[in-house]
Short mmCIF file of all heavy atoms in Angstrom, two decimals:
data_model
loop_
_atom_site.label_atom_id
_atom_site.label_comp_id
_atom_site.label_asym_id
_atom_site.label_seq_id
_atom_site.Cartn_x
_atom_site.Cartn_y
_atom_site.Cartn_z
N PHE A 19 13.12 22.64 20.56
CA PHE A 19 14.09 22.58 19.45
C PHE A 19 13.47 21.93 18.22
O PHE A 19 13.85 22.27 17.09
CB PHE A 19 15.36 21.85 19.89
CG PHE A 19 16.25 22.69 20.76
CD1 PHE A 19 16.36 22.43 22.11
CD2 PHE A 19 16.98 23.74 20.22
CE1 PHE A 19 17.17 23.22 22.93
CE2 PHE A 19 17.79 24.53 21.02
CZ PHE A 19 17.89 24.27 22.38
N ASP A 20 12.52 21.03 18.42
CA ASP A 20 11.77 20.49 17.29
C ASP A 20 11.02 21.59 16.54
O ASP A 20 10.91 21.57 15.32
CB ASP A 20 10.74 19.45 17.77
CG ASP A 20 11.35 18.07 17.97
OD1 ASP A 20 12.49 17.85 17.51
OD2 ASP A 20 10.69 17.21 18.58
N ALA A 21 10.51 22.57 17.30
CA ALA A 21 9.74 23.68 16.72
C ALA A 21 10.61 24.53 15.80
O ALA A 21 10.09 25.19 14.88
CB ALA A 21 9.13 24.54 17.82
N VAL A 22 11.90 24.55 16.02
CA VAL A 22 12.82 25.26 15.14
C VAL A 22 13.23 24.37 13.97
O VAL A 22 13.36 24.83 12.83
CB VAL A 22 14.08 25.72 15.91
CG1 VAL A 22 15.10 26.35 14.97
CG2 VAL A 22 13.70 26.70 17.01
N PHE A 23 13.41 23.09 14.26
CA PHE A 23 13.91 22.16 13.25
C PHE A 23 12.97 22.03 12.06
O PHE A 23 13.41 22.11 10.91
CB PHE A 23 14.13 20.79 13.90
CG PHE A 23 14.46 19.71 12.92
CD1 PHE A 23 15.77 19.53 12.49
CD2 PHE A 23 13.48 18.87 12.41
CE1 PHE A 23 16.09 18.54 11.57
CE2 PHE A 23 13.78 17.89 11.49
CZ PHE A 23 15.09 17.72 11.08
N TYR A 24 11.68 21.82 12.31
CA TYR A 24 10.75 21.51 11.22
C TYR A 24 10.63 22.63 10.18
O TYR A 24 10.74 22.36 8.97
CB TYR A 24 9.37 21.14 11.78
CG TYR A 24 9.38 19.82 12.53
CD1 TYR A 24 8.94 19.73 13.85
CD2 TYR A 24 9.85 18.67 11.92
CE1 TYR A 24 8.96 18.53 14.53
CE2 TYR A 24 9.87 17.46 12.60
CZ TYR A 24 9.43 17.39 13.91
OH TYR A 24 9.46 16.21 14.58
N PRO A 25 10.42 23.88 10.58
CA PRO A 25 10.36 24.91 9.54
C PRO A 25 11.72 25.17 8.89
O PRO A 25 11.79 25.54 7.71
CB PRO A 25 9.88 26.17 10.30
CG PRO A 25 10.17 25.90 11.73
CD PRO A 25 10.07 24.43 11.91
N ALA A 26 12.81 24.94 9.64
CA ALA A 26 14.14 25.18 9.09
C ALA A 26 14.46 24.19 7.96
O ALA A 26 14.98 24.58 6.91
CB ALA A 26 15.19 25.08 10.19
N ILE A 27 14.14 22.92 8.16
CA ILE A 27 14.46 21.94 7.11
C ILE A 27 13.55 22.12 5.90
O ILE A 27 13.98 21.90 4.76
CB ILE A 27 14.38 20.50 7.66
CG1 ILE A 27 15.07 19.54 6.69
CG2 ILE A 27 12.94 20.07 7.91
CD1 ILE A 27 15.33 18.17 7.25
N SER A 28 12.31 22.56 6.13
CA SER A 28 11.42 22.83 4.99
C SER A 28 11.92 24.01 4.17
O SER A 28 11.82 24.01 2.94
CB SER A 28 10.00 23.12 5.50
OG SER A 28 9.45 21.99 6.14
N ALA A 29 12.49 25.01 4.85
CA ALA A 29 12.99 26.20 4.15
C ALA A 29 14.35 25.94 3.49
O ALA A 29 14.66 26.54 2.46
CB ALA A 29 13.11 27.36 5.13
N LEU A 30 15.16 25.06 4.08
CA LEU A 30 16.49 24.80 3.54
C LEU A 30 16.44 24.00 2.26
O LEU A 30 17.24 24.23 1.34
CB LEU A 30 17.34 24.05 4.58
CG LEU A 30 18.76 23.67 4.14
CD1 LEU A 30 19.60 24.93 3.90
CD2 LEU A 30 19.43 22.77 5.17
N THR A 31 15.50 23.07 2.16
CA THR A 31 15.46 22.16 1.01
C THR A 31 15.46 22.88 -0.34
O THR A 31 16.31 22.58 -1.20
CB THR A 31 14.24 21.22 1.11
OG1 THR A 31 14.35 20.45 2.32
CG2 THR A 31 14.18 20.29 -0.08
N PRO A 32 14.57 23.85 -0.59
CA PRO A 32 14.61 24.52 -1.90
C PRO A 32 15.84 25.40 -2.10
O PRO A 32 16.14 25.77 -3.24
CB PRO A 32 13.32 25.38 -1.89
CG PRO A 32 12.97 25.55 -0.46
CD PRO A 32 13.42 24.31 0.22
N GLU A 33 16.57 25.71 -1.03
CA GLU A 33 17.79 26.50 -1.15
C GLU A 33 18.94 25.69 -1.73
O GLU A 33 19.83 26.24 -2.39
CB GLU A 33 18.21 27.07 0.21
CG GLU A 33 17.35 28.18 0.74
CD GLU A 33 17.89 28.76 2.03
OE1 GLU A 33 18.98 28.30 2.47
OE2 GLU A 33 17.26 29.64 2.60
N ILE A 34 18.96 24.40 -1.46
CA ILE A 34 20.12 23.58 -1.83
C ILE A 34 19.83 22.59 -2.95
O ILE A 34 20.74 21.92 -3.44
CB ILE A 34 20.67 22.81 -0.61
CG1 ILE A 34 19.64 21.82 -0.09
CG2 ILE A 34 21.10 23.77 0.49
CD1 ILE A 34 20.15 20.89 0.98
N VAL A 35 18.56 22.47 -3.35
CA VAL A 35 18.18 21.50 -4.38
C VAL A 35 17.76 22.25 -5.64
O VAL A 35 16.92 23.16 -5.56
CB VAL A 35 17.02 20.60 -3.89
CG1 VAL A 35 16.64 19.60 -4.99
CG2 VAL A 35 17.40 19.87 -2.62
N PRO A 36 18.33 21.89 -6.80
CA PRO A 36 17.88 22.51 -8.06
C PRO A 36 16.38 22.32 -8.26
O PRO A 36 15.82 21.29 -7.86
CB PRO A 36 18.68 21.74 -9.12
CG PRO A 36 19.88 21.22 -8.40
CD PRO A 36 19.43 20.94 -6.99
N VAL A 37 15.75 23.31 -8.87
CA VAL A 37 14.29 23.31 -9.02
C VAL A 37 13.79 22.04 -9.71
O VAL A 37 12.78 21.45 -9.29
CB VAL A 37 13.84 24.55 -9.82
CG1 VAL A 37 12.35 24.50 -10.08
CG2 VAL A 37 14.19 25.82 -9.06
N ASP A 38 14.50 21.57 -10.74
CA ASP A 38 14.03 20.41 -11.48
C ASP A 38 14.17 19.11 -10.69
O ASP A 38 13.59 18.08 -11.06
CB ASP A 38 14.79 20.28 -12.81
CG ASP A 38 16.30 20.20 -12.62
OD1 ASP A 38 16.82 20.87 -11.71
OD2 ASP A 38 16.94 19.45 -13.37
N LEU A 39 14.94 19.15 -9.58
CA LEU A 39 15.13 17.95 -8.77
C LEU A 39 14.32 17.98 -7.47
O LEU A 39 14.38 17.04 -6.68
CB LEU A 39 16.61 17.75 -8.45
CG LEU A 39 17.52 17.48 -9.64
CD1 LEU A 39 18.96 17.32 -9.19
CD2 LEU A 39 17.07 16.23 -10.40
N LEU A 40 13.58 19.06 -7.25
CA LEU A 40 12.77 19.15 -6.03
C LEU A 40 11.74 18.02 -5.90
O LEU A 40 11.55 17.48 -4.80
CB LEU A 40 12.06 20.50 -5.96
CG LEU A 40 12.87 21.66 -5.35
CD1 LEU A 40 12.11 22.97 -5.46
CD2 LEU A 40 13.21 21.36 -3.89
N PRO A 41 11.05 17.63 -6.99
CA PRO A 41 10.12 16.50 -6.86
C PRO A 41 10.81 15.22 -6.38
O PRO A 41 10.24 14.47 -5.57
CB PRO A 41 9.55 16.33 -8.27
CG PRO A 41 9.67 17.68 -8.88
CD PRO A 41 10.95 18.24 -8.33
N ALA A 42 12.03 14.97 -6.87
CA ALA A 42 12.77 13.79 -6.43
C ALA A 42 13.14 13.89 -4.96
O ALA A 42 13.02 12.92 -4.20
CB ALA A 42 14.03 13.62 -7.28
N MET A 43 13.55 15.08 -4.54
CA MET A 43 13.90 15.31 -3.14
C MET A 43 12.67 15.12 -2.25
O MET A 43 12.75 14.49 -1.18
CB MET A 43 14.45 16.72 -2.96
CG MET A 43 14.92 17.04 -1.55
SD MET A 43 16.37 16.07 -1.08
CE MET A 43 16.91 16.99 0.37
N ASN A 44 11.55 15.64 -2.70
CA ASN A 44 10.31 15.52 -1.92
C ASN A 44 9.80 14.09 -1.88
O ASN A 44 8.99 13.75 -1.00
CB ASN A 44 9.23 16.44 -2.51
CG ASN A 44 9.56 17.90 -2.31
OD1 ASN A 44 10.26 18.27 -1.36
ND2 ASN A 44 9.07 18.75 -3.20
N ALA A 45 10.25 13.26 -2.80
CA ALA A 45 9.88 11.84 -2.78
C ALA A 45 10.83 11.03 -1.91
O ALA A 45 10.42 10.12 -1.20
CB ALA A 45 9.88 11.28 -4.21
N VAL A 46 12.11 11.38 -1.97
CA VAL A 46 13.13 10.62 -1.23
C VAL A 46 13.01 10.81 0.28
O VAL A 46 13.06 9.84 1.04
CB VAL A 46 14.55 11.02 -1.69
CG1 VAL A 46 15.61 10.46 -0.75
CG2 VAL A 46 14.80 10.53 -3.11
N ARG A 47 12.83 12.04 0.72
CA ARG A 47 12.81 12.31 2.16
C ARG A 47 11.69 11.59 2.89
O ARG A 47 11.94 10.91 3.90
CB ARG A 47 12.74 13.82 2.41
CG ARG A 47 14.09 14.52 2.38
CD ARG A 47 13.98 15.94 2.85
NE ARG A 47 13.34 16.03 4.13
CZ ARG A 47 12.53 17.04 4.49
NH1 ARG A 47 12.28 18.01 3.66
NH2 ARG A 47 12.00 17.06 5.70
N PRO A 48 10.42 11.69 2.44
CA PRO A 48 9.36 10.96 3.15
C PRO A 48 9.57 9.44 3.10
O PRO A 48 9.27 8.74 4.07
CB PRO A 48 8.09 11.37 2.41
CG PRO A 48 8.42 12.65 1.74
CD PRO A 48 9.87 12.54 1.38
N LEU A 49 10.08 8.94 1.96
CA LEU A 49 10.32 7.50 1.85
C LEU A 49 11.35 7.04 2.88
O LEU A 49 11.15 6.05 3.58
CB LEU A 49 10.80 7.16 0.43
CG LEU A 49 11.17 5.69 0.18
CD1 LEU A 49 9.93 4.81 0.37
CD2 LEU A 49 11.74 5.52 -1.23
N ALA A 50 12.45 7.81 2.98
CA ALA A 50 13.49 7.47 3.94
C ALA A 50 12.97 7.59 5.37
O ALA A 50 13.24 6.72 6.22
CB ALA A 50 14.70 8.38 3.73
N ASN A 51 12.22 8.65 5.64
CA ASN A 51 11.69 8.85 6.99
C ASN A 51 10.72 7.75 7.39
O ASN A 51 10.76 7.25 8.53
CB ASN A 51 11.01 10.22 7.09
CG ASN A 51 12.01 11.36 7.04
OD1 ASN A 51 13.20 11.17 7.27
ND2 ASN A 51 11.53 12.55 6.72
N ASN A 52 9.83 7.37 6.47
CA ASN A 52 8.83 6.36 6.79
C ASN A 52 9.46 4.97 6.96
O ASN A 52 9.13 4.23 7.89
CB ASN A 52 7.75 6.31 5.71
CG ASN A 52 6.85 7.53 5.73
OD1 ASN A 52 6.64 8.12 6.78
ND2 ASN A 52 6.34 7.93 4.58
N LEU A 53 10.35 4.63 6.04
CA LEU A 53 10.97 3.31 6.09
C LEU A 53 11.91 3.18 7.29
O LEU A 53 11.83 2.23 8.07
CB LEU A 53 11.73 3.04 4.79
CG LEU A 53 12.51 1.72 4.73
CD1 LEU A 53 11.56 0.53 4.83
CD2 LEU A 53 13.32 1.64 3.43
N VAL A 54 12.80 4.16 7.43
CA VAL A 54 13.82 4.08 8.47
C VAL A 54 13.29 4.54 9.83
O VAL A 54 13.51 3.89 10.85
CB VAL A 54 15.06 4.92 8.08
CG1 VAL A 54 16.11 4.89 9.19
CG2 VAL A 54 15.67 4.41 6.78
#
């Protein structure tokens, strides 16, 4: 199920985030994952 999860979340992100906010999204997710 991890094998489905990883490509799915990578593909979903640009679908729901405005193009100009993608850099912010790409900064927030790794920060949250690493810290938490």
Side-chain angles (χ1 to χ4, degrees):
F19 284 107
D20 277 347
V22 175
F23 172 84
Y24 292 125
I27 195 167
S28 296
L30 178 65
T31 300
E33 288 185 3
I34 64 172
V35 180
V37 175
D38 57 323
L39 295 180
L40 275 175
M43 183 67 165
N44 291 333
V46 168
R47 276 189 53 215
L49 177 62
N51 290 341
N52 289 330
L53 176 63
V54 177

